[in-house]
Amino acid sequence: MTKIKTLADLVKLRDELQSKQALADSADNAESIIQIKVGMGTSGIASGAKAVIDFLVEALEKRNIEANVSQTGDMGYSYAEPTIEVKKPGKDPVVFGFVNVQKADEIIEKYIKRDELVEGIIPVNYHTIDN
Amino acid sequence: MTKYKQIRIALNNCGVIDPENIEDYIARDGYMALGKCITEMTPQDVIKEIKDSGLRGRGGGGFPAGLKWEIASKNHADQKYVVCNADEGDPGAFMDRSVLEGDPHAVLEAMAICGYSIGATKGLIYIRAEYPLAIKRLKIAIDQAREVGLLGKNIFGSKFDFDIELRYGAGAFVCGEETSLIHSMEGLRGEPTIKPPFPAEKGYLGKPTNVNNVETYASVPIIIRKGASWFNKIGTEKSKGTKVFALAGKVNNVGLVEVPMGTTLREVIFEIGGGIQNGKKFKAVQTGGPSGGCLTEKHLDTPIDFDNLVAAGSMMGSGGMIVMDEDNCMVSVAKFYLDFTVEESCGKCSPCRIGNKRLFELLERITKGQGTMDDLQRLRNMSNVIKDTSLCGLGQTSPNPVLSTLDNFYDEYLAHVKDHKCPAGECKDLMKYFIIAENCVGCTACARVCPVGAITGEKKEAHLINSETCIKCGACMERCKFDAIIIK
Ligand SMILES: Cc1cc2nc3c(=O)[nH]c(=O)nc-3n(C[C@H](O)[C@H](O)[C@H](O)COP(=O)(O)O)c2cc1C
Ligand code: SF4
């Protein structure tokens, strides 16, 4: 990565990253992509998040679904670990709780492929700093 | 902002970004606050902003962060230090771990901001070795920040240099106390010393040192970005912003909760927490860890802030919140915390070393049904002496779980002492398992499952439990299909 030597450098880098993100998020775009985050804090990992992320990466590839799978920290729902967030382009992100490999499979087949709802959705229950 | 009870400030990026990728942090305005401070603000401006925000320390005491920074900035020295307290020793607490695992750059950025404002070039994070994942992610974050020049020399092309190193703690609770922490980092025994001098005057290696908690730092970049007047509109008059709690115990939705100061305990436990598990009755909530107290039904509508919790006989502490139901014996709860304190007391001063042990022994006698009314008075007197005469915060607060349960659950102590009964059914020494002869069909299931052979009886005849041998494990009761076994 290039060095950040001034505030302007940082602003430029941030803007680039943000527009890349916006492209990935928007519905009809060559670069839009399904984004999946797996909660990999200590409690997530202790509940089996590692197996879930490994499964997701492998299964999505095998089934020819383009998606970006990444790890993130604790989403806060310790009671429902492992938790994953699925964001389809143009849609609000959806958080699923109690996700084991079987559940992850169901999420791919139903929610990701066919937009069918799957049980175990955790509703948003907090404000962010921007709203 | 009324739709939801929670606002995520310290947890802003937690569970959102990939903590091992600095680009994710930068895309969410990461390091903009540091850039703004160095490029557009004087150190005094930064301190004023933090003071105006009303941010108070999240590690326990609630000391105003801006004021602490100002004191450190005014103490001149050739070298100063910025220390992050990531020792998180309270049983059941995991807020700091989650922040470090989920958003490590926020803490690094805030430490650099603090360094800029007080005139320090070195930062140290004191983290317990039991947090390997947080350590790994911090190391990655530090390396990445160095690589792009956000840590190191001439940050943002200015004259300001700042770098951060990790220091590991071995998990002694007392090492979370700031003077102890500093001694531990110096390679000395992790024992507290009397304050003053405060670390801001004489800290690490005798130099002015600013010690703040993980969550305190994690709130700083957003305050700088959004402004003190945005932050200080959230919360109560004397406690601004939000607080993260690790909600645990007998509550349905165990997890991380971040609410504005002034939210009530009821909202946290029953709305966000989803109420008590298995439809049981709420009994108490413990806040403040081993230094805090147990609050009851009558405190449920108290707005949570630093001062209200103290007035109610507990304290904010670092944010552990353990919910108890009707099956929890409050004498046992007090004993649990005392057991912890006795184990963790460093032994330097006698009120804490000896006093807490004696308190523990008294509680043990009570839970065995051997306590007297004099013991209850002794508990109270000794608690007050320990509080008044201990050297550091550990001893000064360790009797709080005893005092608050004495105040709020005196009847339960009386039941143990006078009737030799534990109303919650938790104290094994005060329970006896019985077989109701009329209900027993003599199926022998209980006798077969008892691990110590305490149950005798002929087939098809009523059985009997020998209370001398019985270890009160409850296996027979679970097995019996005829409701013939009861606890008295
Ligand atoms: C026995 C004892 C244990 C403590 N443990 C911690 C801890 O684990 N984490 C923490 O941040 N502060 C802990 N503190 C408070 C620190 O001494 C200090 O006040 C705090 O780190 C200051 O940061 P703050 O102003 O940001 O809260 C402890 C204090 C005592 C007396
Ligand atoms: S109060 Fe306890 S922990 Fe603190 S110095 Fe005294 S013995 Fe050590």
Short mmCIF file of all heavy atoms in Angstrom, two decimals, chain B residues 243-285:
data_model
loop_
_atom_site.label_atom_id
_atom_site.label_comp_id
_atom_site.label_asym_id
_atom_site.label_seq_id
_atom_site.Cartn_x
_atom_site.Cartn_y
_atom_site.Cartn_z
N LYS B 243 -22.80 3.58 26.90
CA LYS B 243 -21.97 2.61 27.62
C LYS B 243 -22.24 1.22 27.06
O LYS B 243 -23.39 0.86 26.84
CB LYS B 243 -22.31 2.65 29.12
CG LYS B 243 -21.52 1.65 29.96
CD LYS B 243 -20.10 2.13 30.24
CE LYS B 243 -19.21 1.02 30.79
NZ LYS B 243 -18.61 0.15 29.77
N VAL B 244 -21.16 0.49 26.88
CA VAL B 244 -21.30 -0.90 26.42
C VAL B 244 -21.41 -1.81 27.65
O VAL B 244 -20.65 -1.67 28.60
CB VAL B 244 -20.08 -1.34 25.59
CG1 VAL B 244 -20.27 -2.77 25.08
CG2 VAL B 244 -19.85 -0.39 24.42
N PHE B 245 -22.37 -2.70 27.63
CA PHE B 245 -22.49 -3.69 28.69
C PHE B 245 -22.36 -5.09 28.11
O PHE B 245 -22.81 -5.35 27.00
CB PHE B 245 -23.84 -3.57 29.41
CG PHE B 245 -23.97 -2.33 30.22
CD1 PHE B 245 -24.64 -1.22 29.71
CD2 PHE B 245 -23.38 -2.24 31.47
CE1 PHE B 245 -24.73 -0.05 30.45
CE2 PHE B 245 -23.47 -1.08 32.22
CZ PHE B 245 -24.14 0.03 31.71
N ALA B 246 -21.73 -5.95 28.89
CA ALA B 246 -21.72 -7.37 28.54
C ALA B 246 -22.84 -7.99 29.35
O ALA B 246 -22.71 -8.24 30.55
CB ALA B 246 -20.38 -7.99 28.90
N LEU B 247 -23.97 -8.17 28.70
CA LEU B 247 -25.16 -8.69 29.37
C LEU B 247 -25.04 -10.20 29.46
O LEU B 247 -24.90 -10.87 28.44
CB LEU B 247 -26.40 -8.26 28.58
CG LEU B 247 -27.76 -8.50 29.21
CD1 LEU B 247 -27.88 -7.76 30.53
CD2 LEU B 247 -28.86 -8.06 28.26
N ALA B 248 -25.09 -10.71 30.69
CA ALA B 248 -24.87 -12.15 30.88
C ALA B 248 -25.76 -12.67 32.00
O ALA B 248 -26.49 -11.91 32.63
CB ALA B 248 -23.39 -12.40 31.20
N GLY B 249 -25.70 -13.94 32.24
CA GLY B 249 -26.50 -14.54 33.30
C GLY B 249 -27.81 -15.10 32.77
O GLY B 249 -27.90 -15.54 31.63
N LYS B 250 -28.85 -15.01 33.60
CA LYS B 250 -30.11 -15.71 33.29
C LYS B 250 -31.04 -14.89 32.40
O LYS B 250 -32.23 -14.80 32.64
CB LYS B 250 -30.82 -16.03 34.61
CG LYS B 250 -29.97 -16.76 35.63
CD LYS B 250 -30.04 -18.26 35.43
CE LYS B 250 -29.25 -19.03 36.47
NZ LYS B 250 -29.83 -19.02 37.80
N VAL B 251 -30.47 -14.25 31.39
CA VAL B 251 -31.27 -13.42 30.53
C VAL B 251 -31.29 -14.06 29.14
O VAL B 251 -30.34 -14.75 28.76
CB VAL B 251 -30.70 -11.99 30.54
CG1 VAL B 251 -29.33 -11.93 29.90
CG2 VAL B 251 -31.61 -10.99 29.89
N ASN B 252 -32.38 -13.88 28.40
CA ASN B 252 -32.52 -14.58 27.12
C ASN B 252 -31.46 -14.19 26.10
O ASN B 252 -30.80 -15.03 25.52
CB ASN B 252 -33.91 -14.36 26.53
CG ASN B 252 -34.92 -15.27 27.18
OD1 ASN B 252 -34.67 -16.46 27.36
ND2 ASN B 252 -36.05 -14.73 27.57
N ASN B 253 -31.32 -12.87 25.85
CA ASN B 253 -30.39 -12.42 24.81
C ASN B 253 -29.05 -12.00 25.39
O ASN B 253 -28.75 -10.81 25.47
CB ASN B 253 -30.99 -11.28 24.01
CG ASN B 253 -32.31 -11.65 23.39
OD1 ASN B 253 -32.65 -12.83 23.27
ND2 ASN B 253 -33.07 -10.65 22.99
N VAL B 254 -28.25 -12.97 25.78
CA VAL B 254 -26.92 -12.67 26.28
C VAL B 254 -26.12 -12.03 25.15
O VAL B 254 -26.20 -12.47 24.02
CB VAL B 254 -26.25 -13.98 26.73
CG1 VAL B 254 -24.77 -13.78 26.99
CG2 VAL B 254 -26.94 -14.54 27.96
N GLY B 255 -25.37 -10.97 25.47
CA GLY B 255 -24.56 -10.37 24.40
C GLY B 255 -24.08 -8.98 24.74
O GLY B 255 -24.13 -8.55 25.88
N LEU B 256 -23.58 -8.31 23.70
CA LEU B 256 -23.09 -6.95 23.87
C LEU B 256 -24.23 -5.98 23.65
O LEU B 256 -24.98 -6.10 22.69
CB LEU B 256 -22.03 -6.64 22.81
CG LEU B 256 -20.69 -7.31 22.94
CD1 LEU B 256 -19.86 -6.97 21.71
CD2 LEU B 256 -19.98 -6.82 24.18
N VAL B 257 -24.31 -5.00 24.53
CA VAL B 257 -25.38 -4.02 24.45
C VAL B 257 -24.74 -2.66 24.58
O VAL B 257 -23.90 -2.46 25.45
CB VAL B 257 -26.34 -4.26 25.63
CG1 VAL B 257 -27.31 -3.11 25.78
CG2 VAL B 257 -27.09 -5.58 25.48
N GLU B 258 -25.08 -1.72 23.70
CA GLU B 258 -24.57 -0.36 23.88
C GLU B 258 -25.75 0.59 23.91
O GLU B 258 -26.46 0.76 22.92
CB GLU B 258 -23.59 0.04 22.76
CG GLU B 258 -23.04 1.45 22.96
CD GLU B 258 -21.85 1.79 22.06
OE1 GLU B 258 -21.44 0.94 21.25
OE2 GLU B 258 -21.36 2.93 22.18
N VAL B 259 -25.95 1.21 25.06
CA VAL B 259 -27.11 2.08 25.24
C VAL B 259 -26.67 3.47 25.67
O VAL B 259 -25.62 3.63 26.29
CB VAL B 259 -28.08 1.52 26.31
CG1 VAL B 259 -28.82 0.32 25.79
CG2 VAL B 259 -27.34 1.20 27.60
N PRO B 260 -27.49 4.49 25.36
CA PRO B 260 -27.18 5.82 25.88
C PRO B 260 -27.25 5.79 27.40
O PRO B 260 -28.07 5.07 27.97
CB PRO B 260 -28.31 6.70 25.33
CG PRO B 260 -28.99 5.90 24.29
CD PRO B 260 -28.72 4.46 24.57
N MET B 261 -26.39 6.55 28.05
CA MET B 261 -26.49 6.72 29.48
C MET B 261 -27.90 7.21 29.79
O MET B 261 -28.44 8.04 29.04
CB MET B 261 -25.50 7.78 29.97
CG MET B 261 -24.07 7.44 29.68
SD MET B 261 -23.42 6.33 30.93
CE MET B 261 -21.70 6.31 30.43
N GLY B 262 -28.48 6.72 30.87
CA GLY B 262 -29.82 7.15 31.21
C GLY B 262 -30.89 6.13 30.81
O GLY B 262 -32.04 6.25 31.19
N THR B 263 -30.49 5.12 30.07
CA THR B 263 -31.40 4.00 29.78
C THR B 263 -31.63 3.27 31.11
O THR B 263 -30.74 3.21 31.95
CB THR B 263 -30.74 3.05 28.76
OG1 THR B 263 -30.35 3.82 27.62
CG2 THR B 263 -31.68 1.95 28.33
N THR B 264 -32.83 2.74 31.32
CA THR B 264 -33.06 2.07 32.60
C THR B 264 -32.62 0.60 32.54
O THR B 264 -32.51 0.02 31.47
CB THR B 264 -34.56 2.09 33.00
OG1 THR B 264 -35.29 1.32 32.03
CG2 THR B 264 -35.10 3.50 33.04
N LEU B 265 -32.39 0.05 33.73
CA LEU B 265 -32.03 -1.36 33.82
C LEU B 265 -33.13 -2.22 33.23
O LEU B 265 -32.88 -3.24 32.59
CB LEU B 265 -31.81 -1.74 35.29
CG LEU B 265 -30.52 -1.20 35.91
CD1 LEU B 265 -30.58 -1.29 37.43
CD2 LEU B 265 -29.31 -1.98 35.40
N ARG B 266 -34.39 -1.80 33.43
CA ARG B 266 -35.51 -2.57 32.89
C ARG B 266 -35.44 -2.66 31.36
O ARG B 266 -35.63 -3.72 30.77
CB ARG B 266 -36.84 -1.92 33.31
CG ARG B 266 -38.06 -2.78 32.96
CD ARG B 266 -39.36 -2.05 33.22
NE ARG B 266 -39.58 -1.67 34.61
CZ ARG B 266 -39.98 -2.52 35.57
NH1 ARG B 266 -40.21 -3.78 35.28
NH2 ARG B 266 -40.16 -2.10 36.81
N GLU B 267 -35.13 -1.52 30.74
CA GLU B 267 -35.04 -1.53 29.28
C GLU B 267 -33.94 -2.48 28.80
O GLU B 267 -34.10 -3.21 27.83
CB GLU B 267 -34.79 -0.11 28.74
CG GLU B 267 -36.00 0.81 28.87
CD GLU B 267 -35.66 2.27 28.60
OE1 GLU B 267 -34.63 2.78 29.12
OE2 GLU B 267 -36.42 2.90 27.88
N VAL B 268 -32.81 -2.44 29.51
CA VAL B 268 -31.69 -3.29 29.09
C VAL B 268 -32.04 -4.76 29.31
O VAL B 268 -31.86 -5.59 28.42
CB VAL B 268 -30.40 -2.92 29.86
CG1 VAL B 268 -29.31 -3.93 29.57
CG2 VAL B 268 -29.95 -1.52 29.49
N ILE B 269 -32.59 -5.09 30.46
CA ILE B 269 -32.79 -6.50 30.78
C ILE B 269 -34.02 -7.08 30.09
O ILE B 269 -33.98 -8.17 29.54
CB ILE B 269 -32.91 -6.68 32.32
CG1 ILE B 269 -31.60 -6.24 32.98
CG2 ILE B 269 -33.24 -8.12 32.68
CD1 ILE B 269 -31.70 -6.07 34.47
N PHE B 270 -35.10 -6.32 30.08
CA PHE B 270 -36.35 -6.89 29.56
C PHE B 270 -36.61 -6.59 28.10
O PHE B 270 -37.19 -7.41 27.39
CB PHE B 270 -37.54 -6.46 30.43
CG PHE B 270 -37.52 -7.14 31.76
CD1 PHE B 270 -36.88 -6.55 32.85
CD2 PHE B 270 -38.09 -8.39 31.92
CE1 PHE B 270 -36.82 -7.19 34.07
CE2 PHE B 270 -38.03 -9.03 33.14
CZ PHE B 270 -37.40 -8.44 34.22
N GLU B 271 -36.20 -5.42 27.61
CA GLU B 271 -36.45 -5.14 26.20
C GLU B 271 -35.30 -5.65 25.34
O GLU B 271 -35.49 -6.52 24.50
CB GLU B 271 -36.67 -3.64 25.99
CG GLU B 271 -37.99 -3.21 26.62
CD GLU B 271 -38.31 -1.76 26.37
OE1 GLU B 271 -38.00 -1.26 25.27
OE2 GLU B 271 -38.87 -1.11 27.28
N ILE B 272 -34.10 -5.15 25.58
CA ILE B 272 -32.97 -5.59 24.77
C ILE B 272 -32.61 -7.03 25.12
O ILE B 272 -32.39 -7.86 24.24
CB ILE B 272 -31.76 -4.66 24.98
CG1 ILE B 272 -32.12 -3.24 24.56
CG2 ILE B 272 -30.55 -5.17 24.21
CD1 ILE B 272 -31.15 -2.19 25.02
N GLY B 273 -32.59 -7.31 26.40
CA GLY B 273 -32.18 -8.64 26.85
C GLY B 273 -33.26 -9.70 26.69
O GLY B 273 -33.02 -10.89 26.89
N GLY B 274 -34.47 -9.26 26.39
CA GLY B 274 -35.54 -10.24 26.14
C GLY B 274 -36.05 -10.95 27.39
O GLY B 274 -36.68 -12.00 27.30
N GLY B 275 -35.78 -10.39 28.57
CA GLY B 275 -36.33 -10.97 29.80
C GLY B 275 -35.56 -12.18 30.31
O GLY B 275 -34.50 -12.52 29.80
N ILE B 276 -36.13 -12.80 31.33
CA ILE B 276 -35.44 -13.87 32.04
C ILE B 276 -35.67 -15.21 31.34
O ILE B 276 -36.76 -15.48 30.85
CB ILE B 276 -35.95 -13.95 33.50
CG1 ILE B 276 -35.91 -12.56 34.15
CG2 ILE B 276 -35.13 -14.95 34.32
CD1 ILE B 276 -34.57 -11.92 34.22
N GLN B 277 -34.63 -16.03 31.36
CA GLN B 277 -34.71 -17.35 30.72
C GLN B 277 -35.78 -18.23 31.38
O GLN B 277 -36.00 -18.15 32.58
CB GLN B 277 -33.36 -18.06 30.83
CG GLN B 277 -32.29 -17.47 29.95
CD GLN B 277 -30.93 -18.07 30.22
OE1 GLN B 277 -30.77 -18.95 31.05
NE2 GLN B 277 -29.94 -17.60 29.49
N ASN B 278 -36.37 -19.08 30.59
CA ASN B 278 -37.32 -20.10 31.04
C ASN B 278 -38.49 -19.54 31.85
O ASN B 278 -39.02 -20.22 32.73
CB ASN B 278 -36.60 -21.17 31.90
CG ASN B 278 -35.43 -21.77 31.15
OD1 ASN B 278 -35.54 -22.03 29.95
ND2 ASN B 278 -34.32 -21.96 31.82
N GLY B 279 -38.86 -18.30 31.56
CA GLY B 279 -40.01 -17.70 32.23
C GLY B 279 -39.88 -17.55 33.73
O GLY B 279 -40.87 -17.38 34.44
N LYS B 280 -38.64 -17.60 34.24
CA LYS B 280 -38.46 -17.46 35.69
C LYS B 280 -38.60 -16.00 36.10
O LYS B 280 -38.70 -15.11 35.27
CB LYS B 280 -37.08 -17.98 36.09
CG LYS B 280 -36.90 -19.46 35.80
CD LYS B 280 -36.82 -20.24 37.06
CE LYS B 280 -36.65 -21.72 36.74
NZ LYS B 280 -36.51 -22.56 37.88
N LYS B 281 -38.54 -15.79 37.42
CA LYS B 281 -38.74 -14.45 37.95
C LYS B 281 -37.39 -13.75 38.11
O LYS B 281 -36.42 -14.34 38.56
CB LYS B 281 -39.41 -14.58 39.32
CG LYS B 281 -40.27 -13.39 39.69
CD LYS B 281 -41.10 -13.73 40.92
CE LYS B 281 -41.54 -12.52 41.68
NZ LYS B 281 -40.58 -11.62 42.21
N PHE B 282 -37.37 -12.46 37.74
CA PHE B 282 -36.16 -11.65 37.93
C PHE B 282 -35.91 -11.47 39.42
O PHE B 282 -36.82 -11.24 40.18
CB PHE B 282 -36.36 -10.28 37.28
CG PHE B 282 -35.32 -9.26 37.68
CD1 PHE B 282 -34.10 -9.22 37.04
CD2 PHE B 282 -35.57 -8.35 38.71
CE1 PHE B 282 -33.14 -8.29 37.41
CE2 PHE B 282 -34.61 -7.43 39.09
CZ PHE B 282 -33.40 -7.39 38.43
N LYS B 283 -34.64 -11.60 39.81
CA LYS B 283 -34.35 -11.38 41.22
C LYS B 283 -33.39 -10.23 41.44
O LYS B 283 -33.63 -9.36 42.25
CB LYS B 283 -33.77 -12.64 41.83
CG LYS B 283 -33.49 -12.53 43.31
CD LYS B 283 -33.23 -13.90 43.85
CE LYS B 283 -32.98 -13.90 45.34
NZ LYS B 283 -32.74 -15.27 45.79
N ALA B 284 -32.28 -10.21 40.72
CA ALA B 284 -31.29 -9.17 40.94
C ALA B 284 -30.42 -9.01 39.72
O ALA B 284 -30.36 -9.90 38.86
CB ALA B 284 -30.41 -9.54 42.15
N VAL B 285 -29.75 -7.87 39.65
CA VAL B 285 -28.77 -7.68 38.60
C VAL B 285 -27.48 -7.15 39.23
O VAL B 285 -27.52 -6.26 40.07
CB VAL B 285 -29.27 -6.76 37.46
CG1 VAL B 285 -29.80 -5.44 37.99
CG2 VAL B 285 -28.19 -6.52 36.42
#
